[in-house]
Amino acid sequence: MWGNGYFFRYNFSNLKTKFAFIMKKRFFLIIYITFLTHFAFAQCSKIDSLERILVFTNGLNQKVNILNELSENYKNIGEIQRAYSYARQSISLARNIQYELGEARALKNKAAVSYAVNPQSIDEATEAFEKALKIYKKQKKDLELADTFGAYGRFYQETSYTQESFLDSAALYYKEAYQIYEQKNELPKAAEIASNIAEVYFEKGDDEQAFEYSKKSINSNDTQFSNARIVQKFLDKQSAQQRRFIYFLIGGLVLMAFLSILLVRGMMQIGQANKLLRDQKADLVQKNHEIDRQNKEIEQKNIKIQDTLTQLQIRNREIDKQYKQILLQQEEIEMRNVELSEKNEELKQTQEEIKAQRDNLSKQAHEMSIQAEELQKSHETITILSRIGQSITSTLNFKDIFDTFYGYVTQLMPADGFRVSEYHPEYGELEYKFNTENQKKKPLIKVRMQETSNPAVWCVKNARSIMINRKSDLLQYGLDEYSINPMFNSMIYFPLLNEDHTIGAVGVYSKLENAYNQHHMDMIKTLASYTSIALKNAKTYEILNAAQEQLVESEKMAALGGLVAGVAHEINTPVGICVTAASRLDTKTKEFKELFITNQMKRKHLVDYLETNEQGNKIILSNLTRAADLVQGFKRVAVEQSSETKRLFNLKTYLEETILALNPEFKNKPYEIILEAQDDIEINSYAGAFSQIITNLVMNSLIHGFKNRDSGQIRITVHTRYNNVYMTYTDNGNGMTEEVKNKIFEPFFTTNRDGGGTGLGMNIVYNLVVQKLGGKINLESIQGKGVLFTFEIPANTVN
């Protein structure tokens, strides 16, 4: 029984030792978690810095290194998905730029977190570790190789719960790392790896190896705090417990030997007590059986205790995990409490602001109720003004306009008198178009603009409104009491405006003082705008009526007048060319004369002057002849006669002369004309018509086609077939829209009205080709891609 009691005391001591070990382990766990929390905050700050650097860095190698740093930092703070993503980005970029060391580091980072991202990816992790080891071996980077071996071993150690054989792989890779660190004299690193190896052997149940590597860990760095110390202490205590158990067994054996000696001596000394000894022997045998039974019970209890300890260990692990989760939840709760306190403060401020806003809203509601009433009145006024505008602008008769205006004014405001005057700047006077007092019509008189005491004159001259509510207010406008009828005490005058000039004034009078306010002024302003528009429409209507009558009278001469109007435009071109050529000749003659007087003239100067003179004379003569032909051509088109005689001429030669006459228009401009024609084209037709056609087309290209262009080319081609002349005219200019192309041959249609265009040029071309020459004309054009005119003209004109 003594042995059994000792055995229980031994197991109770063992349990106390294990309990103390577990409490120390939890204490160190708390310290470790606290350290991790501070470390996580530091990591977040570092991560933010790295991500900002990543955005602004340009070096690809540096980007790979930053991506690897981000992956490692995110792994350290537990954000495995981001760590995995950055590792993959780093691998892709490193492979693209063939940066092997960066790729190896990224592979190691990816392998360290891939199993946490996808528990089915053990093969992916081991493949990444093997590739990283291969690169570091190739690059002979021993420390990086050792670090990768260590990470590889840690991976197998962390996943050993899925397969116990992984502990062997963990020990193998840890030993590889330990050997390299020991060779490189990296003692802290070697100590850390030795501690990991001791933990692996401890998990495997190999206490001897665990104790050996825990001593290596401590011997490598005495100041290092690692799990190896815990393992060693545990092994030391276990060894002590084993020694105490051995001592207990030896003591029991010695005691049993001592008892046996005493028993033998008693049997020898007390022979007479054999019966008693047999009884005692029987008792001892019974006690031995009892001891055996108790031993078996103790063994069973030991087994149960062992099972209980195993369950306690499992439970302790679960408790550790739950404790970690509780700590994390406590941190989250603390953070949420901080956030809630901040939100409570914000809510208090918001409540105060809402209270202040509620007070302001109550005030604003009162103000808005007042404004609503005013808006209702304004809405009614605007509705009336809208109807007034429609009524005023719907008529084109002056009398109806003023009658409507006066009728509505009397509804909207006090109006004992009403006047509308029209300004005639050419005569320097105002003419009353409407004048009524006390609902009686007054004479429509005229007032000279020199009568500055008249409020209508003042209003028109200054283009400003007048509002009088008592006769003393007249002084601020420079008027006196004689400026207003004695029966009236209030008045409003407002100028009638047409765009940017004054066309008259409108005035309203009242017998009451303070009869008008700004609201009435705004209504008069609106009504005056409607009246100005109605007056403008009425005048336009009168002008259109007069124009319509004139057009009816000259309907038969409309086309003839339009053609004659284009003569100046068409004649201006050859005459302008002649003036330009003559001016150039005059300048060259003055320069030549200066050289002659100063005795600086050389043969080269004389030759240049003669060539210029000859070319200028030829241009002047050609263009004057062409001008005469144009005059005859326009005269002939106007009176529908055929005064120009047909003649036989060489078409190419004539077109070359026409282009030569147009050369001054191209001088100092980046444009060119190319003529491609057969040399032997002889036709019997009207030469002036061809010249006029080409001139109009070329001028259109210069004015419209090459507008805002840095370069341009005109190409004219001529050939004959079956007694017909086929001529094409193309340029690579701006081209035409569909709308312009459909109207180009209509008379008076032009896109250059502001530039002085008459719209007759292309109509004349059409008439010359179709009517004069008996041919056909076709136009093709795409906006931005130039034009193509195709002419088919008989070689022998019948007309």
Side-chain angles (χ1 to χ4, degrees):
M1 295 300 295
W2 177 85
N4 291 337
Y6 182 81
F7 179 80
F8 284 119
R9 284 196 301 275
Y10 169 79
N11 280 279
F12 179 74
S13 175
N14 191 17
L15 287 173
K16 286 174 64 180
T17 303
K18 290 187 177 181
F19 178 77
F21 172 74
I22 291 171
M23 294 304 295
K24 288 181 181 180
K25 183 176 182 181
R26 289 186 178 180
F27 173 72
F28 291 132
L29 179 63
I30 293 171
I31 295 174
Y32 179 68
I33 290 174
T34 304
F35 170 74
L36 282 181
T37 303
H38 290 288
F39 179 73
F41 282 117
Q43 289 294 105
C44 290
S45 176
K46 184 177 180 182
I47 286 170
D48 292 338
S49 301
L50 288 173
E51 288 182 339
R52 285 195 294 271
I53 295 171
L54 180 64
V55 172
F56 294 104
T57 188
N58 294 322
L60 296 180
N61 286 3
Q62 188 178 0
K63 279 189 175 183
V64 172
N65 294 334
I66 293 173
L67 288 171
N68 285 331
E69 287 285 337
L70 285 169
S71 177
E72 292 170 359
N73 282 289
Y74 274 122
K75 183 189 71 173
N76 291 337
I77 66 173
E79 292 196 26
I80 304 303
Q81 191 64 45
R82 284 195 172 185
Y84 183 74
S85 176
Y86 278 118
R88 293 187 62 184
Q89 293 180 37
S90 178
I91 291 170
S92 177
L93 181 58
R95 286 177 179 172
N96 288 338
I97 63 173
Q98 297 183 352
Y99 180 27
E100 288 190 340
L101 291 178
E103 180 185 356
R105 184 179 178 186
L107 286 168
K108 184 191 75 175
N109 293 339
K110 174 186 173 185
V113 298
S114 62
Y115 184 76
V117 173
N118 180 12
Q120 305 299 325
S121 62
I122 291 180
D123 293 339
E124 178 184 356
T126 57
E127 183 181 357
F129 273 123
E130 293 296 335
K131 288 182 179 179
L133 291 171
K134 185 176 180 181
I135 293 173
Y136 283 135
K137 288 178 181 179
K138 176 183 175 182
Q139 297 289 337
K140 296 183 179 179
K141 297 290 183 179
D142 293 335
L143 293 178
E144 288 80 356
L145 183 63
D147 188 39
T148 305
F149 273 125
Y152 206 173
R154 193 175 303 111
F155 166 73
Y156 274 118
Q157 183 182 4
E158 291 173 353
T159 57
S160 62
Y161 67 89
T162 62
Q163 191 171 341
E164 188 175 354
S165 62
F166 284 176
L167 289 173
D168 296 332
S169 299
L172 175 65
Y173 291 116
Y174 275 144
K175 288 179 179 180
E176 292 286 347
Y178 178 78
Q179 290 176 2
I180 295 173
Y181 284 135
E182 195 174 36
Q183 290 173 1
K184 295 296 183 179
N185 201 26
E186 293 287 337
L187 298 181
K189 290 284 188 178
E192 181 181 354
I193 295 300
S195 174
N196 293 338
I197 297 173
E199 290 180 3
V200 170
Y201 279 119
F202 178 71
E203 291 179 16
K204 289 181 64 177
D206 192 342
D207 297 342
E208 183 178 352
Q209 290 288 340
F211 181 69
E212 179 183 352
Y213 276 99
S214 67
K215 289 196 297 182
K216 288 183 179 180
S217 171
I218 296 171
N219 293 336
S220 297
N221 187 351
D222 292 337
T223 63
Q224 182 180 6
F225 178 78
S226 67
N227 293 333
R229 285 183 177 271
I230 298 173
V231 174
Q232 183 180 1
K233 289 181 180 180
F234 179 78
L235 293 175
D236 289 343
K237 290 179 181 179
Q238 191 175 24
S239 299
Q241 292 171 359
Q242 290 176 353
R243 286 196 297 273
R244 285 196 296 271
F245 183 72
I246 291 170
Y247 294 155
F248 166 73
L249 291 177
I250 293 172
L253 292 174
V254 170
L255 181 60
M256 289 179 68
F258 179 72
L259 290 174
S260 299
I261 293 172
L262 290 177
L263 182 61
V264 171
R265 286 182 65 187
M267 290 174 67
M268 292 175 63
Q269 291 177 0
I270 307 173
Q272 297 176 357
N274 287 331
K275 183 178 179 180
L276 179 62
L277 288 176
R278 283 195 297 271
D279 294 338
Q280 290 179 350
K281 183 177 179 183
D283 291 338
L284 286 173
V285 170
Q286 186 177 358
K287 287 180 180 179
N288 285 333
H289 288 301
E290 185 67 23
I291 290 171
D292 291 338
R293 184 180 62 79
Q294 290 178 357
N295 286 334
K296 290 180 180 179
E297 290 177 357
I298 289 170
E299 288 179 358
Q300 291 176 355
K301 289 181 179 179
N302 285 336
I303 294 171
K304 291 180 180 180
I305 291 170
Q306 189 65 34
D307 293 338
T308 303
L309 289 175
T310 304
Q311 292 176 0
L312 284 173
Q313 289 177 353
I314 296 171
R315 182 61 181 169
N316 286 337
R317 291 176 185 175
E318 294 177 354
I319 291 171
D320 290 341
K321 292 181 181 179
Q322 292 175 357
Y323 184 69
K324 291 179 182 178
Q325 293 176 354
I326 290 170
L327 289 176
L328 293 175
Q329 290 174 356
Q330 287 177 349
E331 291 177 0
E332 292 179 357
I333 290 169
E334 290 176 358
M335 294 174 66
R336 289 178 182 175
N337 288 335
V338 173
E339 293 176 356
L340 287 173
S341 61
E342 292 176 354
K343 289 182 178 178
N344 287 333
E345 292 295 329
E346 293 177 358
L347 286 174
K348 289 180 181 177
Q349 294 177 359
T350 305
Q351 288 175 352
E352 294 175 358
E353 292 175 358
I354 290 172
K355 185 177 179 182
Q357 289 177 358
R358 189 182 296 115
D359 296 337
N360 292 332
L361 286 173
S362 62
K363 294 179 182 178
Q364 291 176 4
H366 179 67
E367 294 174 356
M368 289 188 67
S369 64
I370 298 173
Q371 292 177 359
E373 294 177 0
E374 295 178 354
L375 285 173
Q376 181 64 25
K377 294 179 181 178
S378 300
H379 177 70
E380 294 173 357
T381 303
I382 290 170
T383 303
I384 295 172
L385 290 174
S386 177
R387 289 201 300 269
I388 293 171
Q390 294 175 359
S391 300
I392 292 175
T393 56
S394 63
T395 181
L396 297 174
N397 183 277
F398 286 107
K399 183 178 180 304
D400 295 339
I401 292 171
F402 299 135
D403 288 340
T404 303
F405 197 167
Y406 177 63
Y408 281 114
V409 167
T410 56
Q411 297 178 20
L412 295 171
M413 63 188 74
D416 299 316
F418 182 69
R419 287 177 184 167
V420 179
S421 56
E422 183 181 5
Y423 176 45
H424 299 286
E426 65 274 16
Y427 304 118
E429 62 184 16
L430 284 177
E431 179 183 1
Y432 284 5
K433 292 290 188 178
F434 191 88
N435 188 10
T436 180
E437 292 180 1
N438 295 325
Q439 299 182 353
K440 293 181 181 180
K441 297 290 180 69
K442 293 293 183 181
L444 301 177
I445 62 175
K446 295 181 180 180
V447 181
R448 301 291 300 174
M449 295 299 292
Q450 287 78 9
E451 298 181 22
T452 55
S453 61
N454 188 297
V457 172
W458 190 95
C459 180
V460 171
K461 272 192 171 184
N462 294 280
R464 289 172 53 199
S465 60
I466 297 173
M467 185 166 69
I468 304 295
N469 278 311
R470 61 185 64 83
K471 290 184 179 179
S472 59
D473 293 342
L474 291 165
L475 296 176
Q476 63 181 313
Y477 298 100
L479 304 174
D480 53 35
E481 61 181 0
Y482 301 105
S483 302
I484 188 173
N485 192 315
M487 73 172 69
F488 299 128
N489 290 295
S490 300
M491 74 173 178
I492 292 177
Y493 256 98
F494 202 90
L496 296 175
L497 302 174
N498 184 7
E499 296 179 353
D500 58 348
H501 59 279
T502 307
I503 63 173
V506 58
V508 183
Y509 297 86
S510 176
K511 297 176 182 179
L512 304 173
E513 287 190 352
N514 299 314
Y516 303 120
N517 54 34
Q518 186 61 41
H519 182 62
H520 296 121
M521 176 66 80
D522 292 338
M523 287 191 289
I524 289 294
K525 178 180 178 182
T526 304
L527 293 173
S529 299
Y530 288 140
T531 304
S532 299
I533 295 170
L535 290 173
K536 182 179 178 182
N537 292 341
K539 284 194 172 185
T540 304
Y541 180 68
E542 288 183 352
I543 293 170
L544 289 174
N545 277 335
Q548 183 179 10
E549 292 175 1
Q550 185 178 358
L551 286 173
V552 169
E553 291 296 330
S554 60
E555 182 177 358
K556 294 182 181 180
M557 300 298 293
L560 179 60
L563 292 174
V564 173
V567 170
H569 171 74
E570 299 301 329
I571 297 299
N572 185 53
T573 300
V575 173
I577 294 172
C578 290
V579 171
T580 302
S583 175
R584 179 172 173 77
L585 281 176
D586 181 62
T587 302
K588 285 293 185 182
T589 301
K590 288 179 181 179
E591 293 176 356
F592 183 76
K593 182 178 178 181
E594 182 67 25
L595 291 171
F596 178 76
I597 292 173
T598 56
N599 293 323
Q600 296 180 359
M601 187 176 67
K602 299 179 181 178
R603 179 180 179 85
K604 179 179 180 300
H605 297 144
L606 177 61
V607 172
D608 289 344
Y609 175 72
L610 291 175
E611 289 178 354
T612 302
N613 192 22
E614 180 181 2
Q615 186 178 11
N617 288 333
K618 188 174 181 180
I619 290 172
I620 291 171
L621 180 60
S622 173
N623 278 277
L624 288 176
T625 302
R626 177 167 162 261
D629 291 340
L630 289 174
V631 172
Q632 292 179 4
F634 277 116
K635 181 179 179 182
R636 182 167 57 255
V637 172
V639 299
E640 298 182 357
Q641 293 182 354
S642 182
S643 59
E644 184 185 1
T645 306
K646 288 193 299 182
R647 64 184 180 90
L648 187 66
F649 62 93
N650 184 285
L651 182 57
K652 181 181 180 182
T653 302
Y654 189 76
L655 292 178
E656 287 176 344
E657 293 174 355
T658 302
I659 293 171
L660 178 64
L662 292 170
N663 275 344
E665 297 294 335
F666 287 83
K667 189 173 182 64
N668 298 324
K669 294 180 181 178
Y671 311 131
E672 62 173 343
I673 299 179
I674 299 173
L675 174 63
E676 297 176 353
Q678 299 174 6
D679 296 332
D680 57 349
I681 299 178
E682 298 284 340
I683 64 173
N684 185 16
S685 187
Y686 300 98
F690 280 90
S691 175
Q692 197 171 353
I693 290 169
I694 295 300
T695 300
N696 284 354
L697 292 175
V698 170
M699 295 307 297
N700 269 358
S701 293
L702 290 176
I703 295 171
H704 303 287
F706 298 149
K707 184 178 181 180
N708 300 325
R709 284 186 171 257
D710 297 332
S711 63
Q713 185 184 85
I714 297 171
R715 183 179 297 273
I716 303 170
T717 63
V718 183
H719 67 278
T720 59
R721 186 174 61 179
Y722 304 121
N723 295 323
N724 285 332
V725 175
Y726 292 90
M727 181 171 67
T728 61
Y729 176 94
T730 62
D731 71 30
N732 59 352
N734 295 318
M736 305 177 191
T737 63
E738 282 296 320
E739 181 183 2
V740 173
K741 189 173 72 170
N742 293 334
K743 296 181 179 181
I744 192 66
F745 296 122
E746 294 180 7
F748 310 113
F749 174 76
T750 179
T751 58
N752 191 32
R753 187 77 64 189
D754 295 338
T758 62
L760 294 171
M762 293 308 299
N763 178 254
I764 292 172
V765 169
Y766 181 84
N767 290 331
L768 288 174
V769 173
V770 177
Q771 298 178 10
K772 186 68 177 177
L773 301 177
K776 300 177 184 178
I777 183 172
N778 182 55
L779 167 62
E780 297 178 14
S781 179
I782 298 176
Q783 190 171 11
K785 295 186 179 181
V787 298
L788 168 62
F789 289 93
T790 304
F791 303 92
E792 181 181 350
I793 301 171
N796 186 8
T797 302
V798 178
N799 294 339

